[in-house]
Amino acid sequence: MCVICEDPVRCAWSEPRKGSSRLRTMTIANALAIATVLLLPAGWADGQSPLAPASTHSNPKCENQSRSTYLIGPDDELQISDSELTDSANKPSRVDGEGNVDVPLVGRAQVAGMTVEQDEKKLNNLLRKYIRNPQVVVNVAQVHSEPVSVLGAVNSPGVHQVQGYKTLLEMLAQAGGVRPDAGYSIRITRRLEWGCLPLPNAQVDSTGQFSVAEVNLKQIMDAKNPEDNIQIFPNDVITVPKAETVYVIGDVKHSGGFALDEKRSISVLQALSLAEGPNGTADTHHAKILRLKNDADQREELPVDLKEVLTGKQPDVPMKGNDILFIPGSTSKKAALRALEAGIQTGTGIVIWRTP
């Protein structure tokens, strides 16, 4: 046996007694000593407390919710495919009122009340009698009529019934199209029972029950990103926010509000062009932008010398949503204009030249 020493690993092996085999032997106690040292968490051997494990909590991501948990029901239309099945067998089949569907080679099979993934497993087990290693893929080609909410800046907001394959643009058309004051983006909210939205910016909300994403309205309508024109599923919520608006008032030809459309900002000259420019009596030296203060109902005044901007002596000024561009009138110009109008009406001292 080994005498007590400071290093349990070195002392675990002991020299045998005289006359015995020269092979080294290990006692049970010494083996336990080795195991104790090797299995202790880092820091315990030095009398330190073990480190607490790092938190593995993270926000839910859409990559973990790729498969739909929608429960198949009567009147749903399924496409059941497998590489070993013929093309005719891959045609969509409708689920009857009892929850059964026609499966190639198998016949009628109960599929209602289960998810797509559960149905795939069940059909694989049924098809093993006829196909070696079946790899069935089940897709929901059409669902029975379900509600879809289309809200915001559309001509007919409300709850619309969807049946069959419907895209985002088709649902907007069903809602009467977007209004002229529609914003630059569309927000889509989907229950996770249908899986995550197939969009690159899709996120799971804080409740972990919905997938939320935004798409650019103009890019879809201009066919720049046709892949964003995704299929719409039951209980989806499509929200079209109103566009941010800038206002041009005062001595201009066409005062009013102008939607920013897909743009997030606009300059003073761009806003002025939308208002068809200033009148001849406008005081362009003393224009101002009225802008809402942060977390306040009051507006601050930002002076703008339009005359200097128009001549290129000063840079153009950016405007934000809800800004008001005010262009006052010049009192002296208005007085001169009134005098000229009075002279024209009386005809006194006015010479009219006739062109040849």
Side-chain angles (χ1 to χ4, degrees), residues 21-183:
S21 170
R22 295 302 301 169
L23 293 176
R24 294 183 174 182
T25 59
M26 177 185 287
T27 65
I28 295 177
N30 290 336
L32 292 174
I34 291 176
T36 302
V37 173
L38 295 179
L39 296 177
L40 279 176
W44 274 28
D46 299 329
Q48 301 175 1
S49 299
L51 295 175
S55 175
T56 58
H57 175 73
S58 60
N59 293 329
K61 296 183 178 180
C62 278
E63 298 87 64
N64 301 328
Q65 304 285 344
S66 58
R67 295 306 300 271
S68 169
T69 57
Y70 169 73
L71 299 180
I72 295 172
D75 293 330
D76 286 349
E77 198 169 274
L78 306 181
Q79 186 172 8
I80 303 171
S81 59
D82 185 276
S83 59
E84 298 295 329
L85 298 177
T86 61
D87 293 338
S88 60
N90 293 333
K91 292 182 178 180
S93 301
R94 186 172 297 277
V95 181
D96 63 19
E98 297 180 356
N100 298 317
V101 69
D102 286 324
V103 180
L105 303 178
V106 174
R108 307 293 288 173
Q110 179 75 26
V111 294
M114 293 186 289
T115 66
V116 167
E117 191 172 3
Q118 291 171 339
D119 277 337
E120 288 175 347
K121 292 180 180 179
K122 178 176 181 177
L123 297 183
N124 280 329
N125 291 331
L126 295 174
L127 285 170
R128 282 195 178 94
K129 301 177 181 179
Y130 312 96
I131 301 175
R132 179 179 299 178
N133 298 324
Q135 299 293 327
V136 174
V137 176
V138 177
N139 290 312
V140 181
Q142 181 176 327
V143 297
H144 57 283
S145 181
E146 292 282 1
V148 171
S149 299
V150 185
L151 310 174
V154 293
N155 290 310
S156 299
V159 179
H160 299 266
Q161 296 296 320
V162 59
Q163 186 171 10
Y165 186 96
K166 296 291 184 182
T167 64
L168 175 60
L169 289 183
E170 288 173 334
M171 287 306 306
L172 292 177
Q174 188 170 329
V178 297
R179 298 201 309 253
D181 61 344

